[in-house]
């Protein structure tokens, strides 16, 4: 048994003070941290339970957007009428992830900060630079069917496991955080990071910083959207490839705004603005969809067992764009997504 101190602060400032130590960890729903502690992957010396903090509301913002409290559960977020009506892409992505039991416990802030499901990261008897810097990456040359094809490095080829984060990337959300140096907002595209030479750093949070909320923009993408998740089985499986698409069409049917984010392919939700720009001003169709699909996967590199993901990602993008353009979003109970 590894001993640790336990704190349960009642306000945000107290939580920040308690969580500013080098070996401290914030505990919310516990659906990831507790597993990591059981597997001896995470060894915090100070566990800061933040469940008493007043971060459990979904509120309208003055600019017309919506603020999701960091401690709102994934289930409560997905079933909130405002989210379903104005941000159905987000609701769809959440409902495609995990199981009902986990969604009832997992929080929005925790979802952002969950760690990779790489086999080698979870197995302390195998080398992993993310878990122990300098050990090497067991997935390179090993069992790597689920691993990254984009943005990887020779230090790490792990992927980010979240469904929710892929939708938030496409919606261009902002993450509100607070820490020893005060409050700041982080654009979602800047929140998670690629592995580079520091694969143990999953995001751009500074020491002691705590996620307090996620801000959704006022822009409404409630008609032309889809979340397509391709996985080995329909129930409780992480994405091999997932695609979040939002479009805005003009009166004559041309694409005015396009956003595409991929999941299951990189260390963070993957967006390429240049690929999206290829769609602007165009009539929806196979030709432009294929061009965007190839642009967003440009530079993709397989590791052998996961090389199939390159073509799978391209086909998924084309299919998702077609669904979004037609206003026929993917049903998360449709067995064709398995």
């Amino acid at each position: 048994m590894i001993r640790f101190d336990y704190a349960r602060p009642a306000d945000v400032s107290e939580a920040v003070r308690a969580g500013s130590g080098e070996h401290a960890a914030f505990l919310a729903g516990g659906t990831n941290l507790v597993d990591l502690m059981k597997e001896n992957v995470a060894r915090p010396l100070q566990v800061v339970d933040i469940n008493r903090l007043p971060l459990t509301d979904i509120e309208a913002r003055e600019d017309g957007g919506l603020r999701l409290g960091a401690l709102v559960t994934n289930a409560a977020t997905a079933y909130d009428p405002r989210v379903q009506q104005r941000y159905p892409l987000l609701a769809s992505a959440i409902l495609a992830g995990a199981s009902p039991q986990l969604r009832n416990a997992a929080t929005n802030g925790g979802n952002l900060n969950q760690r990779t499901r790489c086999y080698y990261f979870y197995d302390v008897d195998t080398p992993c630079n993310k878990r122990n810097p300098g050990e090497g990456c067991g997935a390179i040359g090993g069992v790597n069917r689920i691993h990254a094809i984009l943005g990887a490095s020779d230090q790490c080829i792990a992927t980010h496991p979240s469904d929710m984060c892929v939708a938030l990337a496409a919606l261009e959300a902002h993450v509100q955080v607070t820490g020893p140096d005060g409050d700041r907002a982080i654009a979602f595209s800047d929140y998670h990071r690629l592995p580079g030479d520091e694969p143990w750093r999953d995001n751009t949070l500074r020491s002691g910083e705590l996620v307090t909320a996620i801000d959704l923009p006022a822009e409404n993408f409630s008609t032309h959207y889809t979340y397509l998740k391709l996985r080995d089985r329909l129930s409780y499986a992480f994405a091999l490839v997932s695609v979040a698409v939002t479009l805005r069409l003009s009166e004559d049917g041309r694409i005015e705004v396009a956003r595409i984010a991929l999941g299951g392919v990189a260390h963070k939700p993957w967006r390429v603005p240049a690929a999206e720009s290829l769609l602007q001003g165009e009539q929806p169709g196979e030709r432009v969809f294929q061009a965007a699909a190839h642009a967003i996967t440009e530079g993709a590199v397989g590791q052998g067992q996961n090389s199939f993901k390159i073509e799978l990602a391209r086909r998924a993008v084309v299919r998702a764009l077609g669904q979004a353009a037609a206003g026929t979003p993917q049903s998360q109970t449709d067995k064709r997504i398995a």
Side-chain angles (χ1 to χ4, degrees), residues 147-277:
H147 287 75
I149 56 172
L150 290 161
S153 73
D154 60 2
Q155 298 290 308
C156 179
I157 59 171
T159 59
H160 195 272
S162 174
D163 292 289
M164 178 180 180
C165 288
V166 184
L168 291 172
L171 291 170
E172 295 188 345
H174 280 74
V175 183
Q176 299 293 331
V177 305
T178 189
D181 297 325
D183 302 336
R184 65 186 180 117
I186 307 172
F188 206 82
S189 59
D190 296 328
Y191 186 79
H192 297 101
R193 60 184 302 280
L194 296 178
D197 294 329
E198 297 178 305
W200 54 92
R201 293 183 58 213
D202 294 336
N203 53 54
T204 56
L205 286 176
R206 299 166 186 162
S207 177
E209 282 191 325
L210 171 69
V211 174
T212 57
I214 301 165
D215 287 348
L216 301 177
E219 191 164 8
N220 192 326
F221 290 103
S222 60
T223 302
H224 296 286
Y225 73 93
T226 197
Y227 186 71
L228 176 62
K229 181 177 182 178
L230 304 174
R231 44 189 160 170
D232 286 322
R233 62 182 187 276
L234 181 62
S235 176
Y236 193 30
F238 297 101
L240 293 170
V241 173
S242 63
V243 188
V245 170
T246 59
L247 302 175
R248 186 172 71 231
L249 303 185
S250 63
E251 290 185 1
D252 65 354
R254 293 185 180 275
I255 299 171
E256 292 183 336
V257 177
R259 297 181 191 161
I260 310 167
L262 298 182
V265 298
H267 204 251
K268 61 182 288 185
W270 189 259
R271 279 189 70 193
V272 178
E276 300 166 356
S277 67

Side-chain angles (χ1 to χ4, degrees), residues 45-102:
L45 300 181
Q46 170 91 337
V47 174
V48 183
D49 185 338
I50 60 173
N51 284 286
R52 288 184 178 178
L53 304 186
L55 306 174
T56 56
D57 294 323
I58 298 178
E59 302 172 320
R61 287 167 43 84
E62 291 184 0
D63 63 1
L66 208 59
R67 173 163 290 182
L68 311 175
L71 291 178
V72 180
T73 66
N74 288 176
T77 301
Y79 290 117
D80 186 279
R82 295 163 292 182
V83 174
Q84 292 187 328
Q85 291 166 13
R86 298 177 54 196
Y87 310 97
L89 173 65
L90 178 58
S92 295
I94 292 173
L95 294 175
S99 65
Q101 295 90 336
L102 286 172

Side-chain angles (χ1 to χ4, degrees), residues 84-135:
Q84 292 187 328
Q85 291 166 13
R86 298 177 54 196
Y87 310 97
L89 173 65
L90 178 58
S92 295
I94 292 173
L95 294 175
S99 65
Q101 295 90 336
L102 286 172
R103 293 194 297 265
N104 286 337
T107 64
N108 292 336
N111 192 296
L112 266 60
N113 295 319
Q114 65 182 300
R115 308 212 66 189
T116 183
R117 262 57 179 191
C118 172
Y119 322 121
Y120 298 92
F121 177 69
Y122 268 81
D123 185 350
V124 296
D125 292 323
T126 62
C128 174
N129 286 321
K130 180 178 283 293
R131 189 183 64 248
N132 287 315
E135 276 194 348

